[in-house]
Amino acid sequence: MSPINLAIVGVGKIVRDQHLPSIAKNPDFNLIATASRNGTVDGVQSFTTIDAMLDAVPEIDAVSLCMPPQYRYEAAHKALSAGKHVFMEKPPGATLSEVHDLEALAAEKGLSLFASWHSRYAAAVEAAKSFLASTRIDSVHVVWKEDVRQWHPNQDWIWQAGGLGVFDPGINALSIVTHILPKAIFLTSATLEFPENRDAPIAADLHFKNADGVPARAEFDWRQTGKQSWDIFAETAAGQMVLAEGGSKLTVDGELKFSAPEEEYPALYRRFAEIVKAGQSDVDLAPLRHVADAFMLGKRKSVEAFHD
Ligand code: NAP
């Protein structure tokens, strides 16, 4: 099969940090155009709107949508309607219903839709999944605490409705948890802390259980200075499992079981090529569903205003 002619929409931080190097290394993709109001990529023809790009470059086969989630549906709908396969950055949309709508459109058109969850491709995630499948799990505790000023400086969209606030990183933890636990969990209670001047939470404390009553807790906080935490702990019959550093390092009772260099975005593009070739979609909305449940069930607490 000849390479997939790819276009990127929304050229910003994650495109420069991860998408461009991963695409450049993957012979299955040929980056031929971008659409972004301000961003461009050296040596690639650029447009300021997706409509202009789709009109001018009919040989585009697929688009990667890397703008904030509040603007993803419209672009995805246009791309699928124009017959293009679609890769969506996480979170795949601003609502569950709009992503279901895109899934139906992709199926109707015979196109591939990829709701990507990059953290699921962190190095030690599969090893953690195998470990948990082999033992009894007594409890799970997610600690995902980072400094928003360091990781999301001046990103206004992230604080607006639909930007998800602390769930923007927190959904990465949920994407791992929903992949590695052998049984589904569901939310039983939550507290969301909203800065008094913002429409999205700065912290969340979520309590889940599964059908057997096994508890899981997730603490997300954007006010962490100093050491950053992206860790998942599980108390099990075989000892304490720690999936640390965003899913890249696995230990059991302190003994290192698996660790490897980060390869998340190269793996995402390998997966996208695979589903395009196979004529499939890959859309798992479990992480976004848990976030929606938190907004539905969570108590709201107003906290000190946040200024960048
Ligand atoms: P970003 O740099 O703030 O935004 C990406 C680009 O989207 C911007 O450069 C902008 O390009 C375009 N954009 C911004 N506001 C827009 C609007 N109102 N309408 C249309 N386009 C708009 O954000 P990012 O950090 O790259 O994140 C983008 C997506 O990737 C998010 O869903 C995020 O969760 C996900 N992600 C981010 C990271 C990370 O570390 N940053 C990691 C993994 C995933 P133009 O101004 O040129 O249009």
Side-chain angles (χ1 to χ4, degrees):
M1 187 173 154
S2 49
I4 297 162
N5 285 326
L6 184 71
I8 291 181
V9 186
V11 177
K13 184 174 187 316
I14 196 60
V15 167
R16 296 190 195 292
D17 290 355
Q18 297 289 349
H19 289 255
L20 295 178
S22 304
I23 294 163
K25 279 191 292 191
N26 189 327
D28 281 329
F29 293 97
N30 196 6
L31 181 63
I32 63 166
T34 63
S36 210
R37 297 163 311 170
N38 305 288
T40 59
V41 175
D42 283 350
V44 178
Q45 58 185 324
S46 62
F47 300 85
T48 52
T49 67
I50 184 171
D51 307 82
M53 180 182 77
L54 292 173
D55 279 351
V57 195
E59 53 282 23
I60 292 169
D61 300 311
V63 297
S64 288
L65 302 180
C66 305
M67 70 289 280
Q70 298 98 318
Y71 312 103
R72 197 136 31 233
Y73 173 82
E74 199 185 340
H77 195 277
K78 284 178 180 169
L80 290 168
S81 301
K84 316 301 178 190
H85 305 290
V86 171
F87 174 131
M88 298 191 287
E89 250 301 348
K90 51 68 48 169
T95 70
L96 290 162
S97 302
E98 68 182 34
V99 188
H100 283 305
D101 192 59
L102 296 173
E103 213 180 349
L105 181 60
E108 182 192 316
K109 297 262 180 192
L111 295 164
S112 297
L113 179 67
F114 185 27
S116 73
W117 298 109
H118 65 87
S119 291
R120 282 190 177 169
Y121 295 84
V125 166
E126 290 307 318
K129 185 179 170 91
S130 302
F131 171 76
L132 291 174
S134 71
T135 185
R136 186 192 73 236
I137 304 167
D138 295 326
S139 65
V140 176
H141 189 186
V142 176
V143 181
W144 224 255
K145 297 185 176 182
E146 62 178 44
D147 183 351
V148 65
R149 289 192 172 86
Q150 181 179 348
W151 302 102
H152 301 280
N154 304 309
Q155 282 189 328
D156 284 339
W157 61 265
I158 220 162
W159 290 106
Q160 291 161 2
L164 299 189
V166 77
F167 288 107
D168 178 81
I171 203 168
N172 298 334
L174 294 173
S175 76
I176 296 177
V177 167
T178 49
H179 183 67
I180 63 176
L181 291 182
K183 282 199 172 169
I185 53 168
F186 51 89
L187 195 74
T188 55
S189 68
T191 304
L192 312 185
E193 296 183 36
F194 287 72
E196 60 188 19
N197 61 338
R198 303 285 182 166
D199 289 326
I202 194 163
D205 188 3
L206 313 176
H207 293 264
F208 303 86
K209 66 178 182 182
N210 72 9
D212 300 330
V214 173
R217 179 179 181 192
E219 291 180 87
F220 304 151
D221 203 320
W222 253 349
R223 296 165 297 198
Q224 179 95 340
T225 52
K227 187 181 178 301
Q228 307 286 284
S229 309
W230 298 287
D231 303 321
I232 298 170
F233 303 86
E235 303 303 328
T236 78
Q240 188 195 47
M241 183 204 86
V242 184
L243 180 57
E245 298 170 16
S248 62
K249 185 175 156 197
L250 178 72
T251 60
V252 177
D253 281 343
E255 187 186 328
L256 183 65
K257 297 287 184 188
F258 194 90
S259 160
E262 203 240 285
E263 268 283 291
E264 294 175 15
Y265 277 77
L268 283 182
Y269 274 96
R270 285 196 294 276
R271 176 69 181 147
F272 188 40
E274 181 181 83
I275 65 170
V276 168
K277 284 178 196 167
Q280 297 166 349
S281 284
D282 180 347
V283 181
D284 175 14
L285 291 181
L288 189 61
R289 207 170 56 229
H290 287 308
V291 173
D293 285 355
F295 279 101
M296 202 150 52
L297 191 63
K299 287 185 182 165
R300 280 152 199 260
K301 210 168 129 187
S302 183
V303 296
E304 187 181 34
F306 176 85
H307 301 284
D308 265 310

